[in-house]
Amino acid sequence: MKRILGVIFLLLNVYVSAQHQDKVDFIHAEIFIEPIPDEKRIIGTVIYEFQILADVDAVFLDARDLQFSKVLLDGKPIGYTNNGKTISIRNEFKNKKNYELNIQYSCEPKQTVYFLGWADFIEGNEQIWTQGQGKYTSHWLPSFDDMTEKVEFDLNINANNGHEVIANGILTNKNEDKKKTTWSFDMQKPMSSYLLAFVIGDYNKQELISDSGIPITNYFYPEDSLKVEPTYRYTKEIFDFLEKKIGVAYPWQNYKQVPVRDFLYAGMENTGTTIFSDQYVIDSTAFVDKNYVNVNAHELAHQWFGNLVTEKDGEHHWLHEGFATYYAYLAEREVFGDDHFYWKLYKTAQQLQEISERGEGQSLLDPKASSLTFYEKGAWALVILRELVGNGAFKTGIKNYLKKYEFKNVTVTNFINEMEFASSLNLSDFKKNWLESTSFPINVAIEELSQESTSIAVFLKLEAEMKSAQSEDIDYLKYWNQSNSIHLKTRMLEKYRSALPFEVQDKAFQSDTVPVRRSLLSQKGLNDILPKEQLVSLLSDRSYITKEMALFNLWQYYPEDRFTYLEMTKGIIGLPNKNIGMLWLILAILTENYKESDTQNYLEELNSYTGSEYSFEVRQNAFFYLKEAITFNEESLINLILATNHHAWQFKKFARNLVDELLEDPNYYLKIQKLAQELKDDDLRYIHTKLKN
Ligand SMILES: [Zn+2]
C-alpha cells in the first residue's frame, strides 16, 4: 500500500490470528455476500474446499465478530465454536482427504468495510469499499489473518441495481433481478486474504489494453469524465514498462483501478484491483501540483512484489514496500526522466540521513520499522544492490525469485539467495550494511548520486562552496546556468531564495516551467522580491498551488486592490481539497465592504463544507479556516463532533485536537454540551470522555 504520510508505524502482526495450519491446505473459496447498506451489515455464505495433509482433529478460520447461522461439513450440519475471533470446527479430518465447509454468517464490520453516503440525501454518492491490509478481511469473511494461507477466492456480490460492483478477478456473470443484481467474479490463482477487495458505487470506466494483452480498466465518477486523462495519464506506459523491466508477465487476468472517497491511504494494491483515494482524481492544471503517477506505479508493482510473492511476516516487509517503491521510481524515471529520478532519491537520502544522525535509524528487517525505512531506505537498498551485481544479474535474480516463489510466501533470505546465485557474488556485506544496520550509508548514496546526476553534482558543489565562502562572494548565476535541471533550480530557490541575487530570481520568474515559478513562492516576504505585476500574473499560472499562494500574498500585501484580486479568482476551485475556493471564501468574508450582502452566504458555504457529504480533506480545510478566522455555527460544530469518530485516523486526530481546543473556551464548551444532547451515544464516544458530566 502507499501511505500518505511517511511516519506511521506498521503493525501488521498486532492481532494474534489463528496459527497457520500446516496440516490443512485451503484451496478454493466461493463467496456470496449481500451488503445491507442501511444497517452497515453484510450477510454472507462461504464455501471452502480444503485438503488435509496429515490427520487433524480441528480446523480454524479467523472470524472477527461474525454471527453464524449454519455450518455444514460436506453438506451435513457440524458443531463449531465461535469465540468472536475464530471459528473452529472439530472433526476427525483424515490425511489426503478433501472436504467442503459451508459457512453462513452475518456481520456488522466495525472496520475493513466502509459504507459512505448512504445516510445523506445526495443521490449517486453511495459507496461501499474494503481495506484488508492492516484491517483484516476476517471482519467480513471467515478467512485468514495470516498471510501464508493462499486461496483462490471467487466473489459473488449481490447489490442494488444501478450501482457498479468491482472485485478481484474477471467478471463472469451479471444476474439481474428486479431490484438487485448478483455480480460473479472469477480468480484463477491463489492469494492471501488481505488482498481480497470489493467496491460498490456509481462509476463509469475507461478501458485500455496492455501490449501483452491484459485488460486495464480505469474507473471514474460519472461527473469526472474530463479528469480521466490527467488522472490516469501514463497508465499504459507504466504497465508496459513494468512488465518489461521486471521480466515476468503480469500475474493476474486483468487490472482495475478504482478511486474511492475518504480512503485510508493513498492507494492499496488488492489483487488485480487497486483502490485509491479520490483526492488523486485531478484536472490537467492540478497535474503539476499533485498527480497519481507514483501511486499508480507503486500499487501496480505490488501485483508482483506482495501479491504474487508475499512476505512470510512483517520481518520481510522490505520485499513488499521497498520493491514497490523502487519499481515505481523506475517507472517515473521512464516518464519524467533521469533528473526526476535522482532528485527524488536525493531527497529521501537526506531524510534518511537525518533520522540516522538522530540515532533513530532502523533496520530494514525490523517489523516495526517506519514507512520511511521500509519504503525509502528499502528502495535505496535496491538501487545499491543493482549497482553492485550489475543490470543483467539483477534482472535474472528478480526473474528467478518471482518464478521460484510465485503464489507462495518469501523471506529476505530467499531473495538474497537468488541474487547471490544470479551474480555469483557473496552479498553478506550488502546485507549487513543495507538490511541489518540501523544507520543509513549516506556516503555511498551521495557518491552514487553525484556520479549519475550532473545537476546534483552542481548542487553539491554549491553547498560545499557555501560552507567555505561568504554568501556575497558566490556566483549563484553560474550554478543556475550550469544545468537546465528544473530540480536544481527549484531546490536552489527553496533553500537559498533570500540569498539569490535579483538576476537569478528574475530568471526563475521568466522560466518556462511552472514548478520553478511555484518555488519562488515557497517563502514569506514575497512582496520584497516579486514586483506586484509579476505576482498578479501568477494568478493565472498553470498550478493551483501557485494561484493559491499568489492570491494570498496579493491580498495580504496590497489591501487597496483586494476587490480586484477576488474578482479575478472568483469561481476557481483548485485541487480536490478546494484549496483556492476555500481560501477565496475566507478572504471574501474578511475583506471589508466586499459584497456585504453575500457575506452570510459565504460563511454558510464555508460551514457547509464541514459536512460528511464532502471528502475529509475538504472538511479538514473548512475546519481549519473556520478556526483561524471566525466562528463555527451549529451545523459545523455537529459535523466536528461526528468527525471525532471518523474512520480515517488522520482526520479523526485532527478533529479530536480541534475539539479539545474549542472545549477550553467556556462559550464553546456550553455549545458543544448542548449539541451533544441531540446526538446518539455512538457519535459521542470521544466527546463523552471530555465533557465533565
Ligand atoms: Zn506499498
Side-chain angles (χ1 to χ4, degrees):
M1 97 186 100
K2 175 92 189 182
R3 300 267 172 176
I4 293 170
L5 294 170
V7 288
I8 318 139
F9 289 81
L10 276 177
L11 293 169
L12 293 174
N13 299 307
V14 284
Y15 272 1
V16 184
S17 64
Q19 288 298 303
H20 178 62
Q21 304 166 76
D22 53 5
K23 291 166 185 151
V24 188
D25 182 20
F26 288 84
I27 302 159
H28 181 258
E30 195 74 31
I31 305 162
F32 302 85
I33 57 162
E34 180 179 357
I36 316 288
D38 295 338
E39 302 168 29
K40 298 189 177 181
R41 203 157 66 90
I42 287 175
I43 300 170
T45 297
V46 55
I47 302 165
Y48 277 107
E49 209 184 293
F50 59 92
Q51 190 180 32
I52 297 296
L53 308 174
D55 289 4
V56 285
D57 56 10
V59 298
F60 309 92
L61 290 130
D62 290 299
R64 310 261 161 194
D65 298 321
L66 305 189
Q67 285 87 47
F68 302 99
S69 50
K70 202 183 253 180
V71 179
L72 306 171
L73 185 68
D74 289 337
K76 294 188 201 90
I78 180 117
Y80 61 91
T81 51
N82 171 16
N83 65 6
K85 290 183 180 131
T86 53
I87 174 170
S88 12
I89 290 100
R90 295 210 165 267
N91 185 55
E92 282 178 19
F93 293 103
K94 293 291 178 208
N95 186 17
K96 292 186 180 151
K97 235 195 113 188
N98 277 40
Y99 292 87
E100 189 190 273
L101 183 63
N102 179 317
I103 305 176
Q104 296 171 32
Y105 65 97
S106 74
C107 56
E108 283 176 49
K110 285 200 182 62
Q111 59 184 62
T112 325
V113 185
Y114 301 89
F115 298 80
L116 288 94
W118 298 88
D120 60 36
F121 299 100
I122 299 165
E123 213 168 302
N125 75 342
E126 297 81 8
Q127 291 186 358
I128 307 174
W129 50 260
T130 59
Q131 167 59 30
Q133 190 172 31
K135 295 289 176 189
Y136 300 97
T137 296
S138 57
H139 282 269
W140 64 270
L141 175 76
S143 53
F144 312 93
D145 292 348
D146 187 307
M147 287 179 279
T148 58
E149 187 65 72
K150 292 201 175 190
V151 180
E152 189 202 318
F153 288 104
D154 292 328
L155 271 160
N156 302 273
I157 300 174
N158 192 12
N160 287 342
N161 291 346
H163 293 301
E164 187 79 18
V165 176
I166 303 144
N168 315 95
I170 285 219
L171 178 68
T172 52
N173 194 29
K174 258 173 86 173
N175 198 343
E176 204 167 330
D177 219 331
K178 256 192 185 153
K179 281 190 169 165
K180 294 201 156 198
T181 302
T182 303
W183 302 60
S184 298
F185 296 87
D186 172 62
M187 284 292 294
Q188 290 176 347
K189 300 287 185 188
M191 63 170 150
S192 306
S193 303
Y194 80 91
L195 294 166
L196 261 169
F198 65 87
V199 178
I200 300 174
D202 208 359
Y203 292 99
N204 288 352
K205 56 194 176 186
Q206 177 203 43
E207 312 264 11
L208 305 172
I209 191 145
S210 77
D211 283 353
S212 58
I214 299 287
I216 303 168
T217 310
N218 297 326
Y219 288 86
F220 57 94
Y221 302 149
E223 67 271 23
D224 283 344
S225 58
L226 290 176
K227 297 181 180 168
V228 174
E229 188 284 319
T231 301
Y232 289 113
R233 195 174 289 172
Y234 305 123
T235 293
K236 184 181 172 312
E237 286 87 335
I238 293 168
F239 197 102
D240 294 336
F241 169 79
L242 282 183
E243 261 202 317
K244 275 186 213 107
K245 194 77 192 174
I246 293 168
V248 172
Y250 174 78
W252 315 101
Q253 298 132 282
N254 57 2
Y255 189 57
K256 292 165 259 190
Q257 305 185 88
V258 198
V260 301
R261 190 145 61 90
D262 287 359
F263 197 51
L264 302 159
Y265 314 104
M268 174 65 207
E269 71 274 16
N270 312 292
T271 306
T273 309
T274 285
I275 296 178
F276 68 99
S277 162
D278 65 8
Q279 294 297 296
Y280 289 96
V281 176
I282 46 139
D283 65 25
S284 58
T285 301
F287 188 85
V288 76
D289 298 316
K290 172 177 190 155
N291 61 58
Y292 177 58
V293 174
N294 175 267
V295 180
N296 187 334
H298 180 105
E299 309 311 340
L300 181 59
H302 271 309
Q303 301 298 327
W304 288 265
F305 304 101
N307 301 5
L308 177 63
V309 296
T310 308
E311 64 192 28
K312 269 220 163 80
D313 55 51
E315 203 176 304
H316 310 283
H317 203 46
W318 173 53
L319 302 174
H320 288 197
E321 297 308 342
F323 284 60
T325 306
Y326 172 71
Y327 278 97
Y329 286 172
L330 295 185
E332 282 189 88
R333 178 185 193 164
E334 181 72 8
V335 294
F336 297 130
D338 283 358
D339 206 44
H340 176 94
F341 174 73
Y342 287 113
W343 280 87
K344 206 152 190 177
L345 285 173
Y346 179 46
K347 194 171 156 198
T348 65
Q350 288 185 307
Q351 291 167 335
L352 288 160
Q353 181 191 15
E354 245 172 66
I355 60 160
S356 183
E357 280 173 356
R358 282 206 306 268
E360 290 166 15
Q362 293 165 321
S363 155
L364 268 168
L365 305 178
D366 175 358
K368 291 192 172 137
S370 67
S371 312
L372 184 64
T373 299
F374 278 131
Y375 291 61
E376 307 303 345
K377 190 181 184 184
W380 258 109
L382 288 169
V383 169
I384 296 300
L385 180 62
R386 197 209 56 116
E387 194 65 35
L388 204 65
V389 303
N391 254 337
F394 188 83
K395 197 163 178 178
T396 307
I398 290 281
K399 232 161 127 172
N400 292 346
Y401 162 74
L402 288 171
K403 284 320 259 180
K404 185 164 176 183
Y405 297 102
E406 60 179 4
F407 309 108
K408 295 194 179 79
N409 292 86
V410 278
T411 63
V412 168
T413 305
N414 294 148
F415 172 71
I416 295 292
N417 286 347
E418 290 309 314
M419 276 295 162
E420 288 192 327
F421 182 75
S423 64
S424 309
L425 289 174
N426 179 337
L427 295 175
S428 50
D429 275 352
F430 167 79
K431 205 175 165 194
K432 201 171 84 212
N433 296 333
W434 284 91
L435 305 184
E436 290 165 2
S437 166
T438 56
S439 63
F440 180 71
I442 184 70
N443 293 337
V444 180
I446 291 293
E447 195 187 311
E448 166 76 9
L449 291 171
S450 43
Q451 267 173 25
E452 299 293 331
S453 162
T454 48
S455 63
I456 291 177
V458 169
F459 187 72
L460 292 171
K461 246 190 240 153
L462 167 63
E463 295 228 295
E465 196 185 340
M466 290 188 77
K467 273 188 193 139
S468 58
Q470 293 292 328
S471 181
E472 53 271 26
D473 297 335
I474 298 172
D475 184 359
Y476 292 102
L477 196 58
K478 181 188 82 189
Y479 288 102
W480 184 271
N481 287 335
Q482 250 179 49
S483 153
N484 283 326
S485 161
I486 61 166
H487 298 278
L488 170 70
K489 295 176 199 292
T490 53
R491 191 53 186 267
M492 280 177 72
L493 288 166
E494 279 161 13
K495 222 175 158 190
Y496 302 119
R497 204 203 65 190
S498 52
L500 301 179
F502 174 77
E503 214 179 337
V504 170
Q505 316 234 22
D506 194 53
K507 274 183 170 278
F509 181 80
Q510 304 298 344
S511 145
D512 58 0
T513 59
V514 172
V516 172
R517 280 194 300 278
R518 186 179 54 194
S519 51
L520 261 177
L521 296 167
S522 63
Q523 288 166 42
K524 286 182 186 154
L526 211 59
N527 58 330
D528 301 338
I529 309 290
L530 277 185
K532 188 172 166 187
E533 309 74 63
Q534 290 195 354
L535 205 44
V536 170
S537 76
L538 292 181
L539 284 177
S540 40
D541 215 0
R542 286 181 55 79
S543 149
Y544 288 130
I545 293 178
T546 305
K547 281 178 203 276
E548 180 193 352
M549 291 194 292
L551 172 61
F552 182 70
N553 279 287
L554 285 163
W555 186 88
Q556 202 180 5
Y557 293 120
Y558 305 103
E560 67 281 8
D561 295 332
R562 283 177 178 175
F563 284 23
T564 313
Y565 307 136
L566 287 169
E567 287 301 313
M568 283 175 76
T569 50
K570 197 174 180 179
I572 306 176
I573 292 163
L575 294 172
N577 69 357
K578 303 189 193 293
N579 68 324
I580 299 176
M582 213 107 63
L583 173 68
W584 190 94
L585 279 175
I586 195 72
L587 296 181
I589 292 165
L590 294 176
T591 302
E592 264 179 64
N593 302 325
Y594 180 70
K595 304 213 165 173
E596 274 177 321
S597 58
D598 285 330
T599 307
Q600 192 54 31
N601 294 341
Y602 296 151
L603 199 57
E604 267 163 37
E605 187 181 345
L606 192 57
N607 272 283
S608 76
Y609 287 136
T610 62
S612 65
E613 62 272 33
Y614 294 98
S615 70
F616 72 75
E617 293 85 354
V618 168
R619 303 172 68 187
Q620 189 161 320
N621 234 346
F623 282 129
F624 171 80
Y625 281 125
L626 287 171
K627 180 192 138 197
E628 287 303 303
I630 26 171
T631 51
F632 295 75
N633 66 13
E634 280 195 6
E635 179 193 3
S636 57
L637 279 178
I638 289 179
N639 288 334
L640 180 63
I641 297 171
L642 297 178
T644 58
N645 294 319
H646 196 269
H647 65 261
W649 72 270
Q650 57 274 62
F651 181 52
K652 177 170 78 182
K653 193 173 161 212
F654 171 89
R656 289 182 173 194
N657 288 339
L658 182 52
V659 160
D660 290 355
E661 232 175 279
L662 292 185
L663 285 174
E664 282 173 23
D665 177 334
N667 243 330
Y668 275 120
Y669 189 96
L670 286 175
K671 275 188 193 167
I672 289 173
Q673 197 176 36
K674 190 168 154 264
L675 290 171
Q677 290 165 3
E678 297 167 25
L679 296 170
K680 287 183 291 189
D681 266 359
D682 228 23
D683 300 325
L684 299 168
R685 265 173 289 159
Y686 181 72
I687 293 291
H688 271 329
T689 67
K690 294 284 156 178
L691 295 176
K692 281 173 204 109
N693 52 9

